Amino acid sequence: MKPFELYLFLYNLIQVLGWGLVLLKTLYGISKNLSNEQLYENVELELQIFQTAAVLEIVHALIGFVRSPVGTTTLQVFSRVTVVWLMLYKVVSSRSSVGVLMLLVAWSITEVIRYSFYALGLIKSVPHFLTWLRYTLFIVLYPMGASGEILTMIAGLPEIAAKKHLTLEMPNALNFGFSFYVFIVIMCLIYIPGFPQLYGYMFTQRRKVLGSDAKKAA
């Protein structure tokens, strides 16, 4: 195994363990009928650590460690980091949204499968069932996760408007204004063209791996 492959293996293995912990704690919280806010607080630290670590995947794509499209990777990572740090961490009211439950379930299941697939792929030991899960469950989990992200952001808008979180109003010494409220609205709107691109890309990959394209190649 080459040094960069060993690095990628360890990175993916750590992410499997991290997201596995998020998944287990989320399922435990659901079994205890915790509120959406309590579910978030139960996994807050792990969510912040392992979702932020995904920023490295943009670097991996840029320098050619992986073949993932840079644009698609950046869009997905940026949207999630925005939800984790600019919404859930900063805007307390967003934590009570049903979107929190949706994104925690969707993200954690998706990432445990995805990182397991990548890690085992590096040692050429991916079982067929894992390949099937990787290219099938996204059909449900991606819309669930994206919807959860949007609902979480929308839930925080009233608080952002009232408390002016991360907002710079005119006039000021910098002669520059920034509306965090407008930024979040734009982020939600970006999902309109962005999500179909990512979703379509995954269906294309599914056809290559599981569909007619794979059968022809065999």
Side-chain angles (χ1 to χ4, degrees):
M1 182 179 288
K2 298 176 182 178
F4 83 91
E5 291 176 330
L6 177 59
Y7 158 75
L8 287 176
F9 177 79
L10 293 175
Y11 168 80
N12 287 306
L13 179 60
I14 291 170
Q15 287 284 43
V16 169
L17 297 175
W19 282 104
L21 181 58
V22 173
L23 176 58
L24 289 175
K25 293 181 75 171
T26 297
L27 294 177
Y28 176 79
I30 293 173
S31 73
K32 295 298 182 180
N33 295 315
L34 297 185
S35 67
N36 295 321
E37 185 171 3
Q38 289 171 326
L39 284 175
Y40 165 74
E41 292 172 349
N42 194 39
V43 299
E44 180 178 23
L45 180 60
E46 295 88 349
L47 188 67
Q48 291 169 349
I49 291 173
F50 296 104
Q51 185 53 65
T52 303
V55 172
L56 289 171
E57 292 170 35
I58 301 174
V59 179
H60 298 164
L62 281 170
I63 63 180
F65 275 12
V66 297
R67 292 181 293 176
S68 302
V70 176
T72 302
T73 301
T74 301
L75 178 64
Q76 183 174 21
V77 172
F78 179 74
S79 65
R80 288 191 177 188
V81 170
T82 296
V83 171
V84 169
W85 286 108
L86 300 186
M87 292 302 302
L88 291 171
Y89 175 73
K90 183 67 178 178
V91 186
V92 176
S93 62
S94 67
R95 302 175 187 178
S96 61
S97 170
V98 67
V100 173
L101 170 62
M102 295 168 67
L103 66 84
L104 285 178
V105 172
W107 287 6
S108 57
I109 294 175
T110 296
E111 300 300 47
V112 168
I113 293 171
R114 185 168 71 95
Y115 288 118
S116 296
F117 179 85
Y118 290 157
L120 293 175
L122 287 163
I123 57 175
K124 298 178 173 57
S125 300
V126 181
H128 177 71
F129 82 89
L130 185 60
T131 300
W132 186 86
L133 290 174
R134 166 78 175 115
Y135 291 102
T136 302
L137 291 189
F138 81 89
I139 297 172
V140 174
L141 295 177
Y142 272 31
M144 180 190 297
S147 298
E149 293 166 33
I150 293 172
L151 289 173
T152 299
M153 288 190 282
I154 290 175
L157 287 176
E159 181 180 329
I160 293 172
K163 296 186 177 181
K164 307 293 183 183
H165 290 304
L166 304 176
T167 295
L168 183 62
E169 297 183 318
M170 295 282 283
N172 58 68
L174 297 175
N175 197 32
F176 171 79
F178 174 77
S179 171
F180 185 52
Y181 185 98
V182 172
F183 171 79
I184 292 300
V185 170
I186 292 174
M187 279 291 299
C188 291
L189 293 175
I190 287 175
Y191 279 73
I192 297 175
F195 176 76
Q197 177 185 344
L198 177 61
Y199 204 43
Y201 171 75
M202 285 302 299
F203 271 105
T204 299
Q205 294 301 106
R206 186 177 196 274
R207 286 193 295 271
K208 289 180 179 179
V209 176
L210 300 178
S212 57
D213 292 350
K215 293 178 181 177
K216 290 178 181 177

